[in-house]
Amino acid sequence: MPFVNIKITNEGVTPEKKADLIKGVTKLLCDLLGKNPQTTVVVIEEVETDNWGIGGETVTVRRKRGQ
Amino acid sequence: MPFVNIKITNEGVTPEKKADLIKGVTKLLCDLLGKNPQTTVVVIEEVETDNWGIGGETVTVRRKRGQ
Amino acid sequence: MPFVNIKITNEGVTPEKKADLIKGVTKLLCDLLGKNPQTTVVVIEEVETDNWGIGGETVTVRRKRGQ
Amino acid sequence: MPFVNIKITNEGVTPEKKADLIKGVTKLLCDLLGKNPQTTVVVIEEVETDNWGIGGETVTVRRKRGQ
Amino acid sequence: MPFVNIKITNEGVTPEKKADLIKGVTKLLCDLLGKNPQTTVVVIEEVETDNWGIGGETVTVRRKRGQ
Amino acid sequence: MPFVNIKITNEGVTPEKKADLIKGVTKLLCDLLGKNPQTTVVVIEEVETDNWGIGGETVTVRRKRGQ
């Protein structure tokens, strides 16, 4: 019954990688906490780099500097 | 003053249905908890089926199987 | 499969009212959008009035003024 | 280490304004709470006006009335 | 830089289990998506069973039935 | 109409500091984006250090090391 929300920057993650991530997180919650995989929900949100800030600046700006 | 966030898969909900959902949830919070509708906020987020996982797999995969 | 998160101030909502709210929101998503109630999740978060701000001030301050 | 999520309606905020908002919120958390800006994350989510409800109706409807 | 929010019911997860979960999710994001573990944030929220609904009823009610 | 959610570790922020934070964020959204302060909502969530992970470990562990 857990609900997991994963926010990442929108920088080209493939559907296959997303499927692997969903599978992995669900397995982890089952193995560690005994949670039922059938009712475990994982939602991935991809956020534009203009809309994600860290260290007081956008990821867009950081990427331009090569970070 | 309540804040309601509704996450659903992005599978063609019309603006009319969204308006009905917003109206219905706001009314429910007013009727049941006495919350002021004027300051009740409802935000609907539509998530791609590749980004929504349940039972360890994506909704995209489930839809292909007819689930 | 929808996920609904309801944030309200922590001001004495009874378990019965919460159960009614969960039931009502789940029914609404089923009636309006055809969502399966068995996989509809509703999570209620109760927030202290010191931690909820509207109009630039806390709800604690507003309640003291009788709002 | 704080995490800030700002939800606004999607009505044409420029990248420059978003950068200013990220900078301002990060500074505020540093000045007021002594939080390290280097690990402060700010994520802005822009929500379509059809998907944002207040007062039981969508922002789309309110904008048409000039509100 | 990812931000992960895990909501589970408040039913006695130990600090050790939480530490394992944080470690596991962070490793998964590093291994699968190449995300920097140093800036990966994981926040666990434990929700009372009265406040968590699935299938239109609270987890409190389901637990009483042995589910 | 913006909705702001601020998650911080639960380490003794006073009600006065919270009120200042709410006031400051609301003012910022008004000054930068022209948002109406009367309908701007700010919710602060304080998370136990056992439940907050960064760099693959809990804040509890980091605090013990003096970080």
Side-chain angles (χ1 to χ4, degrees):
Chain A
M1 220 159 27
F3 177 80
V4 182
N5 182 234
I6 301 172
K7 290 186 206 288
I8 52 174
T9 45
N10 189 2
E11 301 178 279
V13 174
T14 63
E16 289 72 27
K17 289 281 184 187
K18 290 177 193 173
D20 288 348
L21 184 59
I22 285 165
K23 195 177 171 182
V25 170
T26 305
K27 189 177 177 334
L28 211 55
L29 282 159
C30 179
D31 291 351
L32 290 177
L33 306 188
K35 297 294 181 184
N36 180 1
Q38 289 316 310
T39 53
T40 295
V41 175
V42 181
V43 169
I44 302 168
E45 285 178 47
E46 295 169 285
V47 176
E48 299 307 312
T49 55
D50 275 353
N51 290 20
W52 193 296
I54 183 165
E57 57 185 5
T58 65
V59 174
T60 304
V61 167
R62 291 168 84 91
R63 291 292 184 253
K64 279 184 191 158
R65 272 207 316 273
Q67 275 185 292
Chain B
M1 219 159 28
F3 177 80
V4 182
N5 182 234
I6 301 173
K7 290 185 206 289
I8 52 174
T9 45
N10 189 2
E11 301 177 280
V13 174
T14 62
E16 289 72 27
K17 289 281 184 187
K18 290 177 194 172
D20 287 349
L21 184 58
I22 285 165
K23 195 176 170 182
V25 170
T26 304
K27 188 176 177 336
L28 211 55
L29 283 158
C30 179
D31 290 351
L32 290 177
L33 306 188
K35 298 294 183 183
N36 180 0
Q38 289 315 311
T39 53
T40 295
V41 175
V42 181
V43 169
I44 301 169
E45 284 178 47
E46 294 169 285
V47 176
E48 299 307 312
T49 56
D50 275 353
N51 291 19
W52 193 297
I54 183 164
E57 57 185 5
T58 64
V59 174
T60 304
V61 166
R62 291 167 84 93
R63 292 291 184 254
K64 280 184 190 157
R65 274 207 317 272
Q67 276 186 292
Chain C
M1 221 158 27
F3 177 80
V4 182
N5 182 233
I6 301 173
K7 290 186 205 288
I8 52 173
T9 46
N10 190 1
E11 300 178 280
V13 174
T14 63
E16 289 72 27
K17 289 280 184 188
K18 290 177 194 173
D20 288 349
L21 184 57
I22 285 165
K23 195 177 170 182
V25 170
T26 304
K27 188 176 178 332
L28 211 56
L29 282 158
C30 179
D31 291 352
L32 290 178
L33 307 188
K35 298 293 182 184
N36 180 2
Q38 289 316 309
T39 52
T40 295
V41 174
V42 181
V43 169
I44 301 168
E45 285 178 47
E46 293 169 286
V47 176
E48 298 308 312
T49 56
D50 275 352
N51 292 18
W52 193 298
I54 184 165
E57 58 186 5
T58 66
V59 174
T60 304
V61 166
R62 291 168 83 92
R63 291 291 184 255
K64 279 184 189 156
R65 274 207 315 272
Q67 275 186 291
Chain D
M1 218 158 31
F3 177 80
V4 182
N5 181 233
I6 301 173
K7 290 185 206 288
I8 52 173
T9 44
N10 189 2
E11 301 178 278
V13 174
T14 62
E16 289 70 28
K17 288 280 185 188
K18 290 177 193 173
D20 288 348
L21 184 59
I22 286 165
K23 195 176 170 183
V25 169
T26 305
K27 188 175 177 337
L28 211 56
L29 282 158
C30 179
D31 291 351
L32 290 177
L33 306 187
K35 298 294 183 184
N36 180 2
Q38 290 315 310
T39 53
T40 295
V41 174
V42 181
V43 169
I44 302 168
E45 285 177 47
E46 295 169 284
V47 176
E48 299 307 312
T49 55
D50 275 353
N51 291 19
W52 192 298
I54 183 165
E57 57 185 6
T58 65
V59 174
T60 304
V61 167
R62 291 167 83 93
R63 291 292 184 253
K64 279 184 191 158
R65 273 206 317 272
Q67 276 185 292
Chain E
M1 221 159 26
F3 177 81
V4 182
N5 182 233
I6 301 174
K7 290 185 204 290
I8 53 175
T9 45
N10 189 2
E11 299 178 281
V13 174
T14 62
E16 288 73 27
K17 288 280 185 189
K18 289 177 195 173
D20 289 348
L21 184 58
I22 285 165
K23 196 176 169 181
V25 170
T26 305
K27 189 177 177 335
L28 211 56
L29 282 159
C30 180
D31 291 352
L32 289 177
L33 306 189
K35 297 293 182 185
N36 180 1
Q38 289 316 310
T39 52
T40 295
V41 174
V42 181
V43 169
I44 301 169
E45 285 179 46
E46 294 170 286
V47 176
E48 298 309 311
T49 56
D50 275 353
N51 291 19
W52 194 297
I54 184 165
E57 57 185 6
T58 65
V59 174
T60 304
V61 167
R62 291 168 83 92
R63 292 291 184 255
K64 279 184 190 157
R65 274 206 317 272
Q67 276 185 290
Chain F
M1 219 157 30
F3 177 80
V4 182
N5 182 234
I6 301 172
K7 290 186 205 288
I8 52 173
T9 45
N10 189 1
E11 300 177 281
V13 174
T14 63
E16 289 72 27
K17 289 280 186 189
K18 290 176 193 172
D20 288 347
L21 184 58
I22 286 165
K23 196 177 170 182
V25 170
T26 305
K27 188 175 176 338
L28 211 55
L29 282 158
C30 179
D31 291 351
L32 290 177
L33 306 188
K35 297 293 183 185
N36 179 1
Q38 289 316 310
T39 53
T40 295
V41 174
V42 182
V43 169
I44 300 168
E45 285 178 47
E46 294 170 285
V47 176
E48 297 309 311
T49 56
D50 275 354
N51 291 19
W52 193 296
I54 183 166
E57 58 186 6
T58 65
V59 174
T60 304
V61 167
R62 291 169 83 93
R63 291 290 184 256
K64 279 183 189 157
R65 274 208 315 273
Q67 277 184 290

